[in-house]
Amino acid sequence: MPKVRAFLKLVAIEHSVFALPFAYLAALVAMREHGFSWIDLLLITVAMVGARTFAMAANRLIDRHIDARNPRTSQRELVTGAVSVRTAWTGAIAALVVFLAAAALLNPLCLVLAPLAVVPLVVYPYGKRFTDWPHAILGLAQMVGPVGAWLAVTGTFEGSGPAFVLGAAVGLWIGGFDLIYACQDAEVDRRIGVRSVPARYGIPFALVLSTVVHVVTFGLFVWFGALVDLTWLWWVGLVLTAVAFAYEHSIVKSTDLSRVNRAFFTANGFVGIALFVFALADLVTRSAF
């Protein structure tokens, strides 16, 4: 059990709150036309958690030597030895198998596409070695969640436009706050040769770009709501999202990064939960199922 707890801490299992609500949202909207299924929701959950666990474990494994050279990350479990490389690889492979099995149980299209979904999950940690824009790769990896959940319900690309809009919103959202998060390491990254937007172009530029990205994100959330005919409850959720975005960008300054974690975890966790709760209320009150 201590090894399991250490592994779960390594992969930050609680951070599933960021992407999982949007997978549920895509699935529930698709179920309005294809019928509600608890089994599909369960398999989508298993697939999402499996994919994210694999991604985080692979990320930590690939980056363990970089983490050891960064004071902020030098106490991560693979660096300190709290989790062995063998244990991390075992957990990563097990999570990958779980993801592929869940995809296979959902439908043939999900099984065929599952290996493609894995590619950006593995490329992302390598991205900081060959591009100043690894945040874009992370965004692409996160876009897969809502699209995959929609396809899990429908089994076809036909009519999947709203899922791609929601997926793009989620990808830009997460890529945008990754720009903020990376500002913490800009100086260290320059010294040790890790590439990122803050390291290459500076923290002020990264923060401005993050704001622009989140404005586009908000517009895509609006577009998604219009495409799938969500009503006033969704728009209430969007107002709260706008407040959360404004708060997030107001508390992080290029001269003061002390509240990055509050912006990263608190504000963004709120966005995912709030939008899902209000969308769910919208769907339930209109008896969408």
Side-chain angles (χ1 to χ4, degrees):
M1 289 304 293
K3 286 186 176 181
V4 173
R5 285 196 296 270
F7 178 77
L8 293 179
K9 185 178 179 182
L10 172 77
V11 299
I13 195 71
E14 69 276 8
H15 294 173
S16 299
V17 70
F18 293 135
L20 195 54
F22 293 101
Y24 288 148
L25 175 55
L28 290 173
V29 170
M31 285 178 184
R32 292 188 303 184
E33 300 295 330
H34 291 80
F36 182 81
S37 170
W38 282 111
I39 298 297
D40 282 353
L41 281 180
L42 175 61
L43 290 172
I44 288 168
T45 303
V46 171
M48 286 288 293
V49 173
R52 190 196 168 281
T53 300
F54 166 75
M56 283 295 294
N59 192 338
R60 295 291 189 256
L61 283 160
I62 293 165
D63 278 355
R64 65 188 186 277
H65 300 301
I66 290 176
D67 289 344
R69 301 173 64 189
N70 185 333
R72 186 181 65 82
T73 58
S74 62
Q75 295 304 305
R76 284 178 174 169
E77 291 74 14
L78 278 170
V79 179
T80 63
V83 175
S84 68
V85 172
R86 180 178 180 179
T87 297
W89 273 118
T90 301
I93 293 170
L96 179 60
V97 169
V98 167
F99 166 62
L100 294 174
L105 290 171
L106 280 163
N107 58 57
L109 180 60
C110 286
L111 177 59
V112 170
L113 295 177
L116 294 179
V118 173
V119 172
L121 302 181
V122 176
V123 172
Y124 167 63
Y126 287 110
K128 66 193 69 172
R129 293 161 171 83
F130 64 81
T131 177
D132 296 321
W133 300 85
H135 328 280
I137 303 173
L138 177 62
L140 177 62
Q142 297 298 327
M143 178 180 179
V144 170
V147 175
W150 184 287
L151 298 179
V153 172
T154 65
T156 176
F157 279 105
E158 185 177 353
S160 62
F164 281 91
V165 172
L166 182 60
V170 171
L172 288 171
W173 170 51
I174 292 179
F177 69 67
D178 189 58
L179 284 167
I180 297 175
Y181 196 69
C183 289
Q184 300 176 102
D185 299 324
E187 184 178 344
V188 174
D189 286 348
R190 291 189 199 104
R191 188 172 70 248
I192 65 178
V194 172
R195 301 176 68 172
S196 72
V197 167
R200 173 64 177 84
Y201 299 102
I203 292 173
F205 176 83
L207 293 179
V208 170
L209 179 60
S210 177
T211 301
V212 172
V213 167
H214 282 164
V215 169
V216 176
T217 297
F218 188 82
L220 289 171
F221 282 142
V222 170
W223 188 14
F224 172 76
L227 283 174
V228 301
D229 195 31
L230 294 174
T231 56
W232 68 273
L233 283 167
W234 171 255
W235 306 114
V236 171
L238 281 179
V239 169
L240 295 176
T241 296
V243 171
F245 278 159
Y247 171 74
E248 174 182 13
H249 289 280
S250 70
I251 65 173
V252 179
K253 307 293 184 183
S254 60
T255 55
D256 180 10
L257 299 175
S258 63
R259 291 181 286 183
V260 165
N261 282 338
R262 187 186 302 178
F264 186 80
F265 299 114
T266 305
N268 285 297
F270 174 81
V271 168
I273 293 172
L275 279 180
F276 175 70
V277 167
F278 279 95
L280 179 63
D282 182 291
L283 294 170
V284 171
T285 55
R286 291 191 294 148
S287 301
F289 309 115

